[in-house]
Amino acid sequence: MQAEGVRNVDDAARLVQSSALTHIKVGLSDIDGVMRGKYLRKEKFLSALNSGLAFCDVVFGWDVEDQLYDNGRYTGWHTAYPDAQMRIDPATCRRLPLEKGYGGEDMLLFLADFTGPAAEVCPRQLLQRVIQRAEDMGYDPYAALEYEFFMFQETPQSAREKGYRDLRTWTPGNFGYSMLRSTVNSDFYRQLLELSECMNMPIEGLHTETGPGVLEAALAVDRAAAAADKGFLFKTFTKALAQQNGLMATFMAKWSHHHSGQSGHIHLSLRDRTTGKSAFLDPAQPHGIGATQSAFVAGLQRYLPEFMAMYAPTINSYSRLVPGFWAPLDATWGVENRTTALRVIPGSDKSQRVELRIGAADANPYLALAAALASGLRGIEEQLRAEAPVTGNAYEQQFPDQLKLPTTLWEAAQRLKQSEAARACFGDLFVDHYAATREWEERMFRRHVTDWELARYFEII
């Protein structure tokens, strides 16, 4: 729940004024879904609640290593990296039990959005615009995010000193759904579960996955905007909690070619704003798939190849998309089929939904959710019809070329840039800026020689 029931500016102001904290923490999402932010002195924070604050727009002008893009038009040396306006969202208030302030009081954390021109490239604002579109169409979108992540007995320093080789995983071997592992390591599990409850990002299910030191956490369903916030917070503070325990957690898509990749699945549903009932469920139809859900799935399928860069945003994302590793390779769908990109899950009024299985854990939750929701809504608007559902193993079947997904980040960026649907859904400024950042990422990769190249070519070629 929100800290002390904060819902609006007045609630937030009362809480902060009564607090012994001298400073308040404010966080935001950059283009990669990395949380950036700062401490604000109490008086400054209270002023910003009402009038907003300025924040350097360089957070949209650099990559994950703070290297400045040389190909962006939104911001750069040509604009001199000016301040952009931001607003604090009081309803995102949370206590941060990992950090104590004055007098031992848990730190207060708020999320913020960019306003004005910067809102066009702000991931959280992009999702808000897509949600508004859903509401205008008569739907309330709901979502739940699932994350897989590997844990290591390493520190940021030790991992760097080892060159990210021979890292010691938290636990050895494969042991999915292990009760032994969760009991032996129950102290960390307890801390993570309690942290998630305290920060209003509750975990519905937590278990070991197949692989050394890998966990999977399914976050509870909520309205789409809140679900994205919870995914954003969960990734950030799971890593913080791990490091406070002398461990490391990684959400990169695939850290080793010896092991499966790490997914970031999205469960989506729509509810009718008038009746409050599921807009997907039609009990008279096979598997309960009503006309709205069918068109929504068709939209997801149709635009998945064009929006792929928003689901798979890094070079590493595409290392996960190989046959036999639980990652779909085509824009396919099926009923309760985990080999397809889209899995329709039949159920009750509360549980009828579709799961997007293509995304990796490295995706920005705001952008991935915006892409998925916008695709489905466009399918409804255009009254699209999906291809026939896949039965059996999708990895062993052939599909039409239009269902093929991009296999590299560069290809995905070009598909996004050329997509009329993307520009209609997200705006030219966002599409051009985001595609440029993905092209930059590909260029940075091409400057480097990989271990695979050395092992393959050094002696023999």
Side-chain angles (χ1 to χ4, degrees):
M1 62 186 65
Q2 295 136 339
E4 282 79 20
V6 173
R7 293 178 176 82
N8 52 45
V9 168
D10 290 339
D11 292 340
R14 281 193 293 269
L15 174 63
V16 171
Q17 286 170 338
S18 64
S19 169
L21 296 171
T22 60
H23 291 75
I24 309 298
K25 213 163 194 176
V26 177
L28 61 108
S29 171
D30 72 5
I31 206 74
D32 286 288
V34 176
M35 187 179 289
R36 309 282 184 162
K38 61 171 69 174
Y39 293 99
L40 291 179
R41 195 164 186 265
K42 181 186 292 188
E43 291 75 13
K44 174 69 173 178
F45 177 86
L46 290 169
S47 173
L49 268 177
N50 291 295
S51 58
L53 69 153
F55 202 102
C56 181
D57 74 359
V58 73
V59 294
F60 296 139
W62 61 22
D63 64 15
V64 293
E65 289 192 324
D66 294 2
Q67 299 301 303
L68 299 171
Y69 301 127
D70 64 7
N71 60 339
R73 286 184 291 175
Y74 165 71
T75 190
W77 290 119
H78 61 289
T79 65
Y81 298 107
D83 280 346
Q85 290 301 302
M86 291 181 62
R87 62 172 287 274
I88 296 169
D89 185 346
T92 63
C93 179
R94 285 164 167 84
R95 289 288 182 181
L96 181 53
L98 301 183
E99 184 176 339
K100 304 298 182 183
Y102 183 81
E105 182 180 349
D106 287 349
M107 178 57 61
L108 284 169
L109 169 71
F110 291 78
L111 298 181
D113 293 304
F114 282 89
T115 60
E120 294 298 310
V121 297
C122 175
R124 193 167 185 266
Q125 279 295 295
L126 181 73
L127 175 59
Q128 295 286 356
R129 292 194 293 274
V130 177
I131 291 171
Q132 183 61 59
R133 181 175 162 212
E135 292 175 351
D136 292 343
M137 292 172 63
Y139 303 112
D140 284 322
Y142 282 76
L145 304 179
E146 294 179 1
Y147 287 111
E148 294 173 349
F149 54 100
F150 274 84
M151 299 280 295
F152 298 87
Q153 295 187 48
E154 301 286 351
T155 67
Q157 290 75 22
S158 69
R160 282 173 168 78
E161 289 168 358
K162 291 181 176 183
Y164 300 96
R165 300 182 183 90
D166 301 319
L167 300 178
R168 187 179 183 188
T169 54
W170 188 34
T171 56
N174 296 333
F175 201 170
Y177 297 99
S178 170
M179 296 298 282
L180 175 62
R181 295 276 193 259
S182 61
T183 303
V184 171
N185 298 296
S186 61
D187 185 57
F188 180 80
Y189 281 78
R190 175 187 55 77
Q191 290 181 56
L192 181 58
L193 293 169
E194 289 179 355
L195 174 69
S196 298
E197 291 291 329
C198 179
M199 294 190 66
N200 188 21
M201 50 183 192
I203 296 174
E204 278 199 342
L206 177 65
H207 62 88
T208 62
E209 260 292 356
T210 298
V214 63
L215 299 179
E216 178 176 327
L219 305 185
V221 65
D222 206 335
R223 289 178 178 267
D229 283 343
K230 291 175 182 181
F232 178 55
L233 291 162
F234 178 79
K235 290 175 66 175
T236 299
F237 292 105
T238 294
K239 289 183 283 191
L241 176 65
Q243 291 190 33
Q244 285 190 354
N245 280 271
L247 302 168
M248 285 191 73
T250 182
F251 289 80
M252 67 183 295
K254 194 176 178 71
W255 77 274
S256 169
H257 66 276
H258 295 296
H259 306 296
S260 296
Q262 296 164 233
S263 65
H265 295 167
I266 301 172
H267 294 253
L268 269 172
S269 63
L270 299 179
R271 302 198 74 79
D272 188 289
R273 301 198 80 200
T274 302
T275 66
K277 295 182 179 180
S278 170
F280 281 178
L281 179 64
D282 184 348
Q285 298 301 318
H287 309 294
I289 303 173
T292 299
Q293 184 175 25
S294 180
F296 191 91
V297 170
L300 282 167
Q301 183 178 46
R302 167 65 179 80
Y303 296 110
L304 185 54
E306 295 179 26
F307 295 177
M308 189 67 179
M310 297 171 72
Y311 302 119
T314 71
I315 294 293
N316 186 247
S317 301
Y318 298 84
S319 299
R320 171 177 166 267
L321 302 177
V322 294
F325 279 93
W326 296 94
L329 308 176
D330 303 274
T332 53
W333 78 279
V335 177
E336 283 291 13
N337 191 331
R338 285 184 167 86
T339 68
T340 55
L342 305 169
R343 171 189 170 218
V344 169
I345 303 174
S348 66
D349 177 78
K350 291 185 177 181
S351 60
Q352 182 86 11
R353 63 194 189 276
V354 59
E355 178 189 21
L356 183 82
R357 297 180 54 79
I358 198 67
D362 60 358
N364 182 329
Y366 297 112
L367 298 186
L369 189 48
L373 181 57
S375 300
L377 294 175
R378 196 170 174 88
I380 294 171
E381 289 177 323
E382 297 176 342
Q383 298 182 321
L384 297 180
R385 299 186 64 179
E387 301 284 335
V390 174
T391 57
N393 188 352
Y395 298 133
E396 297 178 346
Q397 302 178 41
Q398 296 296 315
F399 301 100
D401 287 345
Q402 68 264 25
L403 299 184
K404 298 296 181 187
L405 299 175
T407 58
T408 67
L409 183 57
W410 183 270
E411 181 186 353
Q414 305 317 301
R415 293 292 298 271
L416 185 71
K417 273 204 308 189
Q418 296 161 12
S419 171
E420 294 181 2
R423 294 183 180 278
C425 291
F426 312 125
D428 289 335
L429 184 59
F430 171 80
V431 170
D432 289 337
H433 180 68
Y434 186 72
T437 68
R438 299 311 96 188
E439 291 173 344
W440 162 275
E441 196 76 9
E442 178 85 13
R443 283 169 48 212
M444 293 304 99
F445 173 70
R446 291 182 182 278
R447 291 182 179 182
H448 293 83
V449 177
T450 66
D451 290 347
W452 183 88
E453 292 169 278
L454 289 171
R456 192 169 184 87
Y457 303 129
F458 190 87
E459 177 189 1
I460 298 172
I461 291 295

